[in-house]
């Protein structure tokens, strides 16, 4: 793209601030900036013009049927056999969503490279892989692993895995792919500059993972291997069970397009989004969208009717993902602290929120998947999220839960 083309485009878009320092840049930086402008994904304009209606109005929300622990325990062996057979046949792959910035944890670099050990190093990636390696040993196979990174952490992530010998995994069974980036804007919708030659871009949320995986050519790899199910999971949860044969078996057995590991809400006011039905489609309802009446509603067994909190561990049917690949999912606008170039020419991270980022969420795939099985897990055994350094969902709370599960720290 030439300077003139960039100028014309940005005048049309009302974004000429991106060329503010153009004249003082070196030739190399000029080219870098023009390429970055050419590659801007302008989808955010539509999201700003028509923000997602978060009020929940107009939906026909009802409880969803799911599998509770008692039933799972009763049929555990049967589910396990079905799941093990599918894993052995190479029908299940794992997809780790690790493109996030981990801003709340406040670390530089990939969140999975964070050391949660006390007396010896134990990295988040390492802890998660212990579980997958166990599944492989039990099933006598290797579940292929795909890892989503972003421009912000790709090099660090790939070199970290290499330096740690892929945590016992064969290198050929681990494939990395980058997610897409979206511009970050100020409260007037103007794209920030991060430096004089770089517009501020951020990972565009975890909802675009399947598109990014396909654009990286990995969908063909899945087909070549005969994969039919993708188990996606978040980097945050250090008690994450991946390719859990019982979960895989229950999902396949139920005939749905998607299995979702869930924890049951302990009280009506717990701040967690829950799985529900919206008319005849599965969906998630955020805690602030639930009325008091719904939050307290009981089912025929006296349990909370809206109790299934999703923990970002889903098993998606590949053929259905391909079928809905072209469907748009909502773009969420989130206020964030965005690192940007200040008036004095220095790049800084502000103390408080200064603008907006645009993200799609993996959870919004639930609706287009059309059928979902909530599968209850024991919270203390499978859910130890690390979002913050201290307090709720933190390194501290996760360490306690790991100890409770016999992990030596
Ligand atoms: P979070 O929503 O907790 O975001 O991600 P985050 O970026 O890790 O943390 P904060 O909000 O900046 O503190 C849940 C999961 O989705 C992945 C994360 O890596 C994590 O596994 N994710 C998130 C992506 O892969 N890409 C994204 O753009 C955002």
């Amino acid at each position: 793209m030439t300077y003139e083309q960039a100028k014309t485009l940005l005048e049309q878009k009302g974004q000429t601030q991106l060329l503010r320092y153009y004249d003082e840049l070196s030739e190399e930086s000029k080219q870098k900036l023009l390429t970055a402008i050419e590659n801007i994904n302008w989808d955010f304009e539509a999201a700003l013009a028509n923000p997602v209606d978060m009020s929940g109005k107009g939906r026909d929300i009802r409880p969803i049927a799911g599998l509770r622990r008692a039933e799972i325990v009763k049929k555990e062996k049967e589910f396990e056999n079905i799941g093990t057979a599918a894993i052995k046949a190479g029908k299940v792959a794992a997809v780790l969503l690790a493109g996030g910035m981990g801003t709340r944890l406040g670390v530089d670099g990939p969140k999975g490279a964070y050391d949660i050990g006390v007396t010896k190093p134990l990295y988040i990636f390492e802890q998660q892989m212990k579980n997958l390696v166990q599944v492989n040993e039990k099933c006598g196979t290797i579940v292929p692993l795909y890892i989503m990174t972003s421009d912000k952490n790709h090099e660090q992530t790939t070199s970290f895995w290499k330096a740690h010998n892929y945590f016992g995994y064969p290198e050929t069974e681990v494939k990395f792919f980058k997610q897409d980036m979206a511009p970050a804007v100020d409260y007037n919708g103007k794209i920030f500059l991060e430096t004089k030659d770089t517009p501020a871009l951020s990972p565009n949320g975890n909802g675009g993972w399947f598109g990014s995986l396909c654009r990286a050519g990995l969908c063909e790899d899945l087909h070549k291997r005969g994969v039919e199910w993708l188990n996606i999971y978040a980097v945050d949860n250090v008690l994450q069970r991946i390719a859990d044969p019982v979960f895989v078996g229950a999902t396949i057995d139920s005939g749905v397009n998607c299995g979702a590991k869930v924890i049951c809400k302990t009280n009506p006011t717990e701040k967690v989004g829950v799985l529900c039905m919206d008319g005849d489609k599965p969906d998630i309802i955020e805690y602030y969208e639930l009325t008091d009446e719904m939050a307290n509603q009981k089912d025929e067994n006296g349990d909370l009717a809206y109790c299934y909190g999703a923990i970002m561990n889903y098993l998606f049917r590949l053929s259905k993902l391909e079928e809905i690949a072209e469907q748009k999912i909502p773009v969420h606008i989130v206020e964030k602290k965005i690192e940007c170039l200040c008036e004095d020419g220095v790049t800084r991270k502000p103390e408080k929120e200064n603008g907006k980022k645009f993200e799609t969420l993996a959870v919004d795939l639930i609706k287009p998947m059309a059928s979902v099985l909530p599968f209850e897990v024991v919270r203390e055994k499978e859910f130890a999220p690390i979002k913050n350094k201290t307090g709720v969902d933190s390194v501290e709370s996760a360490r306690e839960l790991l100890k409770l599960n016999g992990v030596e720290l």
Side-chain angles (χ1 to χ4, degrees):
M1 176 176 260
T2 63
Y3 172 78
E4 279 66 36
Q5 287 168 328
K7 191 160 170 273
T8 311
L9 173 72
L10 296 180
E11 277 169 357
Q12 277 167 11
K13 301 279 187 191
Q15 301 283 357
T16 47
Q17 76 286 352
L18 294 180
L19 290 171
R20 183 168 166 196
Y21 299 98
Y22 185 82
D23 290 339
E24 55 181 89
L25 297 177
S26 67
E27 276 316 305
E28 195 185 333
S29 284
K30 282 181 176 163
Q31 205 43 57
K32 186 176 166 205
L33 179 61
L34 294 177
T35 307
I37 292 170
E38 187 173 10
N39 289 333
I40 288 175
N41 181 334
W42 296 98
D43 285 355
F44 77 91
E45 292 177 315
L48 268 183
N50 288 306
V52 184
D53 180 5
M54 301 287 280
S55 69
K57 278 191 215 109
R59 293 202 288 172
D60 173 20
I61 300 298
R62 282 178 282 129
I64 190 169
L67 271 184
R68 301 297 300 256
R69 283 311 302 162
E71 208 177 331
I72 294 170
V73 170
K74 241 192 276 164
K75 296 172 101 179
E76 190 153 9
K77 204 68 222 153
E78 187 187 326
F79 290 151
E80 191 177 350
N81 288 342
I82 300 172
T84 305
I87 295 168
K88 272 192 175 159
K91 292 184 181 170
V92 179
V95 182
L96 168 57
L97 306 182
M101 306 259 282
T103 31
R104 282 168 286 174
L105 187 58
V107 284
D108 261 345
K111 194 175 191 173
Y114 192 83
D115 180 6
I116 49 167
V118 179
T119 60
K120 55 183 180 196
L122 178 64
Y123 306 102
I124 294 180
F125 286 138
E126 179 184 7
Q127 169 58 26
Q128 290 188 324
M129 287 306 285
K130 284 187 193 170
N131 166 256
L132 191 52
V133 168
Q134 272 171 11
V135 171
N136 288 339
E137 282 167 2
K138 206 165 155 211
C139 296
T141 185
I142 291 166
V143 171
L145 173 62
Y146 300 83
I147 301 178
M148 183 165 86
T149 62
S150 77
D151 272 345
K152 297 278 181 190
N153 66 18
H154 185 80
E155 308 309 327
Q156 286 162 296
T157 306
T158 51
S159 49
F160 189 81
W161 278 73
K162 197 171 172 41
H164 290 87
N165 292 320
Y166 300 88
F167 302 105
Y169 236 65
E171 193 179 337
T172 52
E173 303 308 295
V174 185
K175 298 209 158 56
F176 298 87
F177 65 100
K178 277 200 229 175
Q179 71 174 93
D180 300 334
M181 305 290 279
V185 303
D186 67 15
Y187 288 117
N188 296 316
K190 304 286 178 201
I191 302 173
F192 282 113
L193 275 172
E194 190 172 297
T195 59
K196 292 181 179 176
D197 62 7
T198 317
L201 301 180
S202 310
N204 65 346
N206 54 28
W209 67 273
F210 186 64
S212 302
L213 184 132
C214 294
R215 276 190 288 285
L218 294 173
C219 212
E220 283 125 54
D221 190 56
L222 293 170
H223 283 295
K224 219 165 54 201
R225 291 169 181 267
V227 171
E228 293 178 9
W229 295 92
L230 297 180
N231 190 177
I232 70 155
Y233 65 102
V235 75
D236 330 56
N237 180 4
V238 284
L239 284 178
Q240 194 83 260
R241 291 228 197 152
I242 310 142
D244 168 4
V246 182
F247 174 50
V248 172
T251 304
I252 294 176
D253 184 58
S254 70
V256 292
N257 291 320
C258 172
K261 283 205 166 187
V262 295
I263 48 170
C264 274
K265 265 170 75 163
T266 43
N267 70 64
T269 54
E270 193 177 342
K271 290 186 171 160
V272 56
V274 292
L275 284 167
C276 61
M277 294 298 288
D278 176 6
D280 61 354
K281 292 268 165 40
D283 205 358
I284 289 260
I285 181 157
E286 293 301 339
Y287 67 89
Y288 48 81
E289 296 171 323
L290 275 184
T291 59
D292 274 355
E293 191 190 333
M294 286 159 98
N296 288 290
Q297 191 177 323
K298 300 273 170 66
D299 65 15
E300 62 282 3
N301 301 316
D303 296 323
L304 291 176
Y306 295 95
C307 69
Y308 295 128
I311 60 167
M312 198 48 172
N313 185 325
Y314 299 103
L315 188 70
F316 287 109
R317 191 191 287 275
L318 176 59
S319 59
K320 187 69 184 176
L321 282 170
E322 291 180 300
E323 187 188 313
I324 63 162
E326 296 306 317
Q327 278 184 37
K328 289 245 181 261
I329 53 172
V331 176
H332 296 254
I333 302 175
V334 238
E335 284 194 31
K336 292 256 173 151
K337 296 172 192 161
I338 298 154
E339 194 172 69
C340 60
L341 191 67
C342 299
E343 283 300 316
D344 58 4
V346 179
T347 300
R348 285 193 197 88
K349 187 160 189 180
E351 303 264 303
K352 52 181 191 137
E353 284 70 16
N354 60 334
K356 300 169 180 175
K357 289 186 180 181
F358 302 89
E359 297 183 346
T360 56
L361 306 180
V363 83
D364 286 324
L365 288 171
I366 293 289
K367 201 168 213 169
M369 289 307 283
S371 55
V372 60
L373 175 75
F375 176 97
E376 187 191 357
V377 300
V378 180
R379 184 188 287 249
E380 297 72 25
K381 287 195 179 156
E382 295 203 30
F383 192 50
I386 298 182
K387 297 283 185 193
N388 310 298
K389 265 210 168 103
T390 55
V392 180
D393 296 344
S394 66
V395 179
E396 286 170 352
S397 59
R399 278 190 185 135
E400 289 311 311
L401 284 159
L402 283 171
K403 278 192 230 157
L404 210 72
N405 282 280
V407 178
E408 275 181 40
L409 291 169

